[in-house]
């Protein structure tokens, strides 16, 4: 194989004790997300190397995998002077004017020190091309990594997504609505190494099949960063109608969200998720004031992580566009939060009042039904859902 992909690990190189586990998780994720590719992977403590037939395609896919700092498509040479010098001349672009050589000697037995090797290769380029050296701002940086068996040479590096490999932190349960915020929250959690399952509260016939398919589409987008996502669709209609019937208008949303949290806690325990994650952002709507959060959060002891809590809507939108969820999120299908919205939802809800209203109907059995009857979707293959939107 003439070319090979070199991967520079992300932040994980600083985590000494966990390094082996991090690197193994990264390899597992790469194999999973690139399962359609024929791969040969080798790795050590600082680098991973991937050989495959479809090298450009694979490199592009790798830019979505967390735990990677940079991806370089390298040319392979044998680790001897002649081969390396020839290869550098062969790959240095024709249309640029200035260069710099940067050698790394992973094999300390290689007889020439890195600085001396820079000079040797630099001299060879100067003699054989029109190039000039510029050590401060070169148009072409030629990286040479000398290893025992082979030397890898590259002039370009693609930025990786950073973060930790998905899964190194265990799993969280993302409350995924069809909006802009929750997919971004999921993405940010994945980036910190948290694997996710998603939960969506579905209220047919008040919410449409399109709304559900939109959430499936969003889960599919997030799955490109994970590969393991499951979506639990909760049949929420009966419980929502009971709230509608039994609770005062201004507390409907507060109580609905308390019910959602209760269901999520049960689902999380059932599916081994350690935390809940959602797209709440401080002050965005009545149910996201600090007082509302206190009242809603009261029903669970599980940590609730809100990755976008302190971002402005515009900042959230920017991320949504970057990760490719924005266009789906703005499709105009209503979710269960928007259909029963009261005119004046309470902004400073009171926990005791919420409890009193909840006592007016038998909600435990309805919650249990939601958990028992959740539909589990795991197959996010492309052909299946796009036609439905
Ligand atoms: P988003 O843009 O993510 O829909 P939002 O600004 O519309 O958020 P809310 O509707 O108040 O805000 O919801 C806050 C959070 O609660 C959402 O980000 C999501 O995590 C969760 N949530 C809301 N509705 C649902 C739903 N139908 N299913 C699952 N989670 C939901
Ligand atoms: Mg919403």
């Amino acid at each position: 194989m003439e070319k090979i992909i070199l991967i520079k690990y992300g932040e994980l190189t600083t985590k000494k004790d966990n390094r082996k586990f991090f690197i193994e998780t990264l390899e597992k994720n790469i194999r999973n997300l690139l399962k359609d590719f024929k791969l040969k992977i080798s790795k050590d403590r600082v680098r991973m190397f991937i050989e495959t037939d479809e090298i450009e395609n694979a490199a592009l896919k790798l830019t979505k995998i967390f735990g990677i700092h940079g991806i370089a498509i390298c040319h392979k040479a044998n680790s001897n002077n002649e081969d390396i010098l020839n290869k550098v001349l062969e790959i240095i672009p024709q249309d640029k004017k200035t260069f710099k050589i940067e050698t790394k000697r992973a094999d300390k037995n290689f007889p020439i020190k890195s600085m001396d090797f820079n000079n040797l290769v630099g001299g060879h380029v100067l003699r054989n091309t029109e190039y000039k050296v510029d050590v401060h701002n070169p148009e072409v940086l030629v990286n040479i990594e000398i290893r025992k068996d082979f030397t890898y040479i590259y002039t370009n590096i693609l930025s990786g997504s950073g973060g930790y490999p998905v899964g190194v932190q265990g799993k969280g349960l993302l409350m995924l609505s069809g909006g802009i915020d929750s997919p971004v929250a999921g993405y940010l959690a994945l980036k910190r190494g948290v694997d996710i399952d998603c939960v969506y509260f579905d209220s047919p016939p008040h919410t449409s099949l399109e709304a559900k398919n939109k959430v499936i589409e969003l889960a599919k987008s997030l799955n490109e960063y994970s590969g393991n996502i499951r979506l639990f669709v909760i049949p929420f209609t009966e419980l929502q109608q009971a709230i509608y019937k039994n609770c005062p208008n201004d507390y409907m949303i507060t109580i609905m969200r308390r019910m959602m949290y209760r269901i999520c806690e049960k689902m999380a325990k059932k599916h081994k998720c350690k935390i809940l994650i959602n797209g709440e952002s401080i002050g965005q709507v009545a149910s996201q004031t600090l007082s509302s959060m206190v009242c809603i959060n009261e029903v669970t002891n599980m940590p609730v992580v809100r990755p976008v809590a302190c971002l402005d809507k515009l900042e959230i939108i920017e991320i949504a566009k970057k990760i490719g969820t924005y266009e789906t999120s703005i499709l105009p299908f209503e979710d269960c939060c928007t259909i029963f919205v009261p005119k004046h939802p309470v902004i400073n809800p009171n926990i005791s009042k919420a409890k009193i209203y909840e006592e007016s109907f038998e909600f435990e059995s309805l919650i249990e039904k939601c958990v028992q009857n959740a539909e589990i979707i795991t197959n996010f293959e492309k052909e299946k859902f796009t036609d439905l939107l």
Side-chain angles (χ1 to χ4, degrees):
M1 192 81 45
E2 271 290 288
K3 285 188 194 171
I4 189 165
I5 296 174
L6 173 154
I7 287 181
K8 295 189 181 186
Y9 303 136
E11 260 182 80
L12 60 95
T13 41
T14 59
K15 301 258 162 185
K16 273 215 167 80
D17 298 343
N18 287 334
R19 188 190 301 233
K20 190 162 177 281
F21 172 58
F22 277 38
I23 294 172
E24 275 164 12
T25 307
L26 178 62
E27 180 181 351
K28 196 178 90 204
N29 293 348
I30 289 174
R31 287 192 186 281
N32 186 22
L33 282 156
L34 268 58
K35 55 177 171 288
D36 298 335
F37 294 70
K38 224 167 140 195
L39 302 177
K40 199 169 147 220
I41 297 182
S42 57
K43 60 185 188 295
D44 63 25
R45 291 163 48 80
V46 288
R47 297 278 187 265
M48 190 178 285
F49 295 97
I50 301 182
E51 290 179 71
T52 173
D53 295 338
E54 296 174 69
I55 206 141
E56 266 85 17
N57 236 334
L60 265 179
K61 289 226 166 208
L62 285 165
T63 59
K64 284 200 159 180
I65 295 180
F66 294 122
I68 294 178
H69 176 71
I71 303 140
I73 297 179
C74 303
H75 298 260
K76 218 163 147 182
N78 292 314
S79 289
N80 63 59
N81 292 3
E82 195 190 344
D83 218 38
I84 297 171
L85 291 175
N86 285 341
K87 196 52 114 198
V88 170
L89 280 193
E90 197 182 302
I91 68 161
I92 197 160
Q94 308 269 327
D95 55 341
K96 301 278 184 341
K97 293 194 170 63
T98 59
F99 79 108
K100 178 185 175 183
I101 306 286
E102 205 157 280
T103 304
K104 269 211 183 74
R105 220 171 28 131
D107 174 19
K108 297 293 176 209
N109 291 324
F110 189 77
I112 307 174
K113 290 210 169 102
S114 300
M115 283 297 273
D116 297 334
F117 202 70
N118 288 343
N119 293 335
L120 179 82
V121 182
H124 189 67
V125 173
L126 287 172
R127 278 190 301 278
N128 291 284
T129 68
E130 303 286 301
Y131 266 97
K132 303 239 172 336
V133 173
D134 182 345
V135 287
H136 300 297
N137 200 12
E139 282 178 89
V140 180
L141 180 63
V142 182
N143 292 276
I144 303 175
E145 289 214 12
I146 304 175
R147 302 190 151 244
K148 198 156 172 288
D149 301 328
F150 294 104
T151 291
Y152 302 104
I153 307 165
Y154 61 94
T155 53
N156 248 329
I157 186 147
L158 294 169
S159 290
S161 283
Y164 296 141
V166 171
V168 292
Q169 293 291 346
K171 210 164 53 166
L173 184 63
L174 170 70
M175 299 167 70
L176 183 63
S177 64
I180 296 168
D181 307 326
S182 46
V184 172
Y187 165 85
L188 293 172
L190 286 164
K191 184 166 184 180
R192 296 320 291 165
V194 182
D195 209 349
I196 56 175
D197 281 330
C198 304
V199 70
Y200 168 61
F201 293 89
D202 191 25
S203 297
H206 312 294
T207 56
S208 62
L209 183 60
E210 283 98 333
K212 177 178 166 185
N213 285 329
K214 179 175 153 181
V215 174
I216 293 173
E217 195 62 30
L218 290 170
K220 198 176 78 186
S221 296
L222 289 176
N223 197 45
E224 288 180 29
Y225 299 91
S226 150
N228 308 309
I229 288 183
R230 294 180 298 176
L231 173 64
F232 309 129
V233 180
I234 307 285
F236 200 45
T237 316
E238 209 181 334
L239 182 49
Q240 214 176 1
Q241 282 170 344
I243 298 169
Y244 194 59
K245 207 168 108 200
N246 295 292
C247 303
N249 240 300
D250 56 344
Y251 265 73
M252 260 166 33
I253 293 276
T254 309
I255 290 172
M256 183 188 81
R257 298 193 64 77
R258 282 166 61 92
M259 296 299 168
M260 283 181 168
Y261 271 46
R262 289 182 172 111
I263 293 167
C264 283
E265 183 185 282
K266 284 184 188 284
M267 291 297 291
K269 287 188 173 147
K270 187 169 172 180
H271 295 283
K272 303 203 166 48
C273 298
K274 292 180 182 153
I275 56 164
L276 304 181
I277 302 157
N278 68 34
E280 289 173 352
S281 179
I282 298 171
Q284 203 183 78
V285 288
S287 61
Q288 294 170 27
T289 61
L290 292 188
S291 306
S292 281
M293 281 188 193
V294 170
C295 182
I296 291 163
N297 215 150
E298 191 259 343
V299 300
T300 178
N301 285 324
M302 214 172 229
V304 181
V305 172
R306 301 171 174 86
V308 301
C310 298
L311 298 186
D312 291 347
K313 193 76 189 186
L314 286 177
E315 292 169 317
I316 302 173
I317 288 175
E318 199 178 306
I319 302 176
K321 285 184 175 164
K322 188 182 90 183
I323 66 173
T325 54
Y326 183 73
E327 293 303 324
T328 310
S329 288
I330 58 172
L331 292 171
F333 308 117
E334 297 199 288
D335 79 358
C336 66
C337 290
T338 33
I339 50 170
F340 293 121
V341 178
K343 273 219 174 69
H344 301 291
V346 59
I347 323 181
N348 283 308
N350 172 303
I351 294 179
S352 332
K353 276 193 184 170
K355 282 183 174 166
I356 292 171
Y357 300 144
E358 285 171 356
E359 276 164 16
S360 69
F361 69 107
E362 220 296 284
F363 65 82
E364 284 295 348
S365 59
L366 294 174
I367 283 184
E368 204 45 48
K369 255 174 141 177
C370 286
V371 172
Q372 293 308 327
N373 296 331
E375 176 193 0
I376 302 181
I377 298 174
T378 51
N379 185 353
F380 294 105
E381 294 310 315
K382 245 194 161 55
E383 314 74 66
K384 204 165 163 194
F385 303 108
T386 32
D387 291 350
L388 298 173
L389 275 174

